Amino acid sequence: MDLGPPVGHTAQASRDALPPTPPMSHGKTNDALTNDPTATRALVVEPPPPVVDAPALAPAGSDVAAHAPAPDVPTTSPGTDTAAAAPTSTIDPDKPSAESAPTALPTNPTTHPAEQAEAVKDEHPAVVGREIEKTKAAERELKGEPPKGTVVHGIEDDRLWAMLRRFDVQISHVLHPATNLPPTEPDLRPSTLPNLPSHSDTLKSNMERVFAAVGPASLLGARELGRMTSWAPEERSRTAAFCISYFVCWLFGYTLVGCFTFFVALACFPKCRRWFFPPVQPPPFTPPSATDPTNKAGDESLIGNVDSKTVHRSKAEQAEEQAFEARALLQAYTQRVVFDGRKKGKNAGNANVGEKVVEPESDLDDDEADPTNAKTKPQGLVSADVKVGDEHIALDEKTDDKKKKKIAQQAAKQKRDELVGKMTKATEDGLGAFADLMERMTNALSPPSAYPDRNARFKIAGAFLVPPMLLLHFTPAWLFGRIATFGIGVGLWGRPLIAAGIRKFVLLVPNWQDYLDLRNSILSGVPTDAQLTLHLLRVGEALGTPLPRPPPAPLEGTPKEAIKDTTPATITADDHAEVEEAAEEGGVAEKATKAKVKTKSHILGAFKAVGKKMAGFHGDVAVDGARKKIGTKVDKVLFQNRIKDDGSRDEFPAKYDGTSGHIILDAANEATRVPRIAFVPLSGKDAAFQFAVDDIVELKKAHVSMPRMALGWASGADVEGLGLTIRAKPLAQQAAEAAGAEKVDGTTVHLTRVGRREDLFVRLVSMGRQRWEVL
């Protein structure tokens, strides 16, 4: 049987020499995965890769080890006819998925199908089941069928897991009640409270969301445009149809009308997108690509590959991974700009001493380019004020020059920190708002079936496509020039009149910003991915079946740790070059250089180990995912197994006021009409605190302190907080404050070393009737 090699595979000759793998089956089912007998490619593997049937998925909420050994699987002999055991038809886009099963599990770019066949035997059935479900989801998308999903109907599992993982990172601090939130709009909007500080985790999360929402889609659109203009044999007829349509519109003077009508059709009628841009079946063993419309490139993640031979990335996981890689690259770039990665001492700088091949263009000297480099003269007499920026700081007459200089330095540093904080917060809010807009536009143009459709795509077409089409078609070109020149004149000489008009307009319409907010008009009722996730979490809680926790991303493990490691490399390229130069000289120089490089490696390795220890020393954090055990030594001796985390969805081990115990969640049922939360210590039966979940007005995950974050950065460790702060008020007090009563803080509890904190957080957010906003 001739099979095509997966795209991106290297070392093909060595992999072709792998021993053949006998086929394997798990029973008789129409969902079996077999090889395509009709495919003819250069790579020949005999016998064909295994026939894998979809195993039963683990029950919702079960904690399945990612690499647990699978039970004994019966296999067929090499002489068995696989065509009799499972269908061997190819994926035909014109046939429903029930009649055309996927022919093989896709592989990642560094895994040969024969290697995958061997790895499948030892993989846990739940892991293989997830891969098969991703393959079926890709097949349904290829054939234009609606998404199904095994957990939430209407959302494929891979997208659901990606949204839940993003929700854990994006939402860390929520407040109730939300300010300036219309009653009919979804909650979980960013807070509009003034003077909120910025946080690096939120900034990085918003940056990843922007990359995930814009990056793959932009690249896919650009390549789709190239495909639309390609005269390749497989695209020739479609390109000719677009070309003829364009020039027919041009001939009759309706070019802009035709283009805008094309965009209106794409926006309002999702089914026609498949007709204009027909999907392309990926090659054998190649997953569908999130960035290539021809699906030949497969997974185009730049840096990290998956660390399992049985796992591949779906489109949603590719976007998630590529967003992480883009943010990691940008972060590493900015750190390289601030902290030069070159050697110090005589080799520091942009070049070493010696003959240069090309001389760079010389600019002005730093002293000439920056006039502020010159030392300024003292500002007046001893009794004069100190000036920082545009502010004057009044001093005592007895203040001497030395103390005045110190006060000026402190004031300048404080002013700099304020400006940096404002710039960082503005960047954070801007990235978050842009990511929210892109996610809303995506959900408006392709509404998920699990959320009510508000037909916002028709509003988008009616507001942004139809008016420009009519304006550009019926308005003569000379009128645009007259309007532009008139606007320039008004802007130059009519500024007082414009300012007065703006002030009058603000007095007449004080809430004019709400009318211009797209969230309240054109995109009304359209959720972001976080709001969609919260909706699904609330539905699961209302039905008494909370959503299970998402599995780790396909890049979990060593590759991701290497990308996140921001420390200097133990042995750099300069070290290798130095060793090679010394090897040419030989003798004592070679031995001394190798000893120096080896000593450097040991010292940096020891520094990273000590840094990781210091980052987690006596702290409520987890370093590189290593969770601290709940309970002190006394707890372990007296209570033994009672402090273990049994993985229950209603019990979470934690510490409160230094006492170990469990957080108990009582969901709403016949006995408990409202959900409640309580903390029961191990040393007694009475709860240390308990209140209704509806009483919670604020939830915040404890972040990592700056010294520990610095130690984690220096040692290349991922430091994560384990604390959770809960603030609650009785419903009567909340109602009184809404009516205008004086506000009080309420009851605040701080929990430390919370086991499965993310699970507890999402359950508390989705169990009650609060209307949250994100801080």
Side-chain angles (χ1 to χ4, degrees), residues 133 136-138 140-141 146-150 152 154-161:
E133 184 59 32
K136 292 180 179 179
R140 287 190 287 267
E141 182 181 4
K148 292 183 178 179
T150 62
V152 176
I155 296 182
E156 300 292 358
D157 292 355
D158 57 319
R159 186 190 177 190
L160 175 64
W161 303 141

Side-chain angles (χ1 to χ4, degrees), residues 236-538:
R236 190 167 298 165
S237 59
R238 191 172 67 101
T239 302
F242 277 112
C243 179
I244 293 173
S245 301
Y246 180 87
F247 281 104
V248 166
C249 292
W250 173 84
L251 182 63
F252 292 97
Y254 291 97
T255 305
L256 292 178
V257 174
C259 293
F260 276 102
T261 303
F262 173 70
F263 294 142
V264 169
L266 291 179
C268 297
F269 308 103
K271 292 185 178 180
C272 75
R273 302 168 195 169
R274 175 181 171 85
W275 187 79
F276 286 121
F277 304 102
V280 178
Q281 178 182 347
F285 312 111
T286 303
S289 176
T291 53
D292 182 16
T294 63
N295 284 325
K296 295 180 180 179
D299 185 1
E300 290 190 296
S301 300
L302 300 176
I303 304 175
N305 188 40
V306 296
D307 55 357
S308 174
K309 297 182 183 299
T310 60
V311 177
H312 73 283
R313 294 193 190 96
S314 64
K315 285 187 176 182
E317 292 169 343
Q318 290 175 32
E320 179 185 17
E321 166 60 22
Q322 291 165 13
F324 162 76
E325 291 180 355
R327 195 268 302 165
L329 285 173
L330 182 60
Q331 183 178 357
Y333 169 75
T334 54
Q335 290 172 351
R336 176 61 62 89
V337 170
V338 178
F339 304 101
D340 187 7
R342 291 180 172 271
K343 292 181 178 181
K344 303 306 177 184
K346 66 178 183 180
N347 292 327
N350 295 328
N352 296 327
V353 176
E355 189 67 25
K356 310 300 185 297
V357 179
V358 178
E359 290 290 343
E361 296 182 2
S362 60
D363 298 329
L364 293 176
D365 294 337
D366 294 340
D367 293 339
E368 298 176 3
D370 187 5
T372 62
N373 230 5
K375 294 183 179 180
T376 58
K377 297 181 180 180
Q379 301 178 13
L381 302 176
V382 177
S383 59
D385 296 341
V386 173
K387 183 179 181 181
V388 178
D390 295 332
E391 298 181 4
H392 292 267
I393 302 175
L395 301 175
D396 189 7
E397 295 181 357
K398 299 181 180 180
T399 305
D400 55 5
D401 291 340
K402 185 176 180 180
K403 192 171 182 180
K404 181 187 298 185
K405 184 178 180 180
K406 185 176 180 180
I407 294 174
Q409 291 173 348
Q410 293 175 352
K413 183 177 182 300
Q414 182 179 1
K415 190 175 185 63
R416 181 207 64 184
D417 293 341
E418 291 177 357
L419 292 175
V420 170
K422 291 180 180 179
M423 293 168 58
T424 307
K425 183 61 178 176
T427 305
E428 175 186 314
D429 293 343
L431 291 174
F434 184 72
D436 288 343
L437 177 61
M438 292 296 102
E439 290 175 357
R440 284 191 176 92
M441 293 292 289
T442 301
N443 291 329
L445 297 177
S446 300
S449 60
Y451 198 88
D453 185 9
R454 302 295 182 89
N455 296 320
R457 58 188 181 277
F458 297 102
K459 301 178 184 178
I460 294 174
F464 299 119
L465 296 177
V466 175
M469 176 183 67
L470 300 177
L471 181 65
L472 294 175
H473 180 70
F474 291 105
T475 305
W478 62 267
L479 188 57
F480 286 104
R482 297 296 300 273
I483 294 174
T485 53
F486 178 78
I488 293 175
V490 172
L492 291 175
W493 292 284
R495 283 176 293 178
L497 184 62
I498 295 175
I502 291 177
R503 288 193 297 267
K504 186 66 175 179
F505 176 78
V506 172
L507 290 176
L508 295 176
V509 189
N511 58 338
W512 60 272
Q513 294 179 343
D514 295 338
Y515 293 101
L516 296 181
D517 194 344
L518 295 179
R519 299 174 300 179
N520 302 332
S521 54
I522 297 175
L523 298 178
S524 175
V526 180
T528 63
D529 285 352
Q531 292 171 337
L532 176 60
T533 306
L534 180 60
H535 171 75
L536 300 177
L537 290 169
R538 283 171 170 167

Side-chain angles (χ1 to χ4, degrees), residues 1-5 12 16 39-45:
M1 178 182 297
D2 296 336
L3 298 175
Q12 177 175 330
D16 290 345
T40 56
R41 291 294 185 98
L43 180 62
V44 178
V45 180

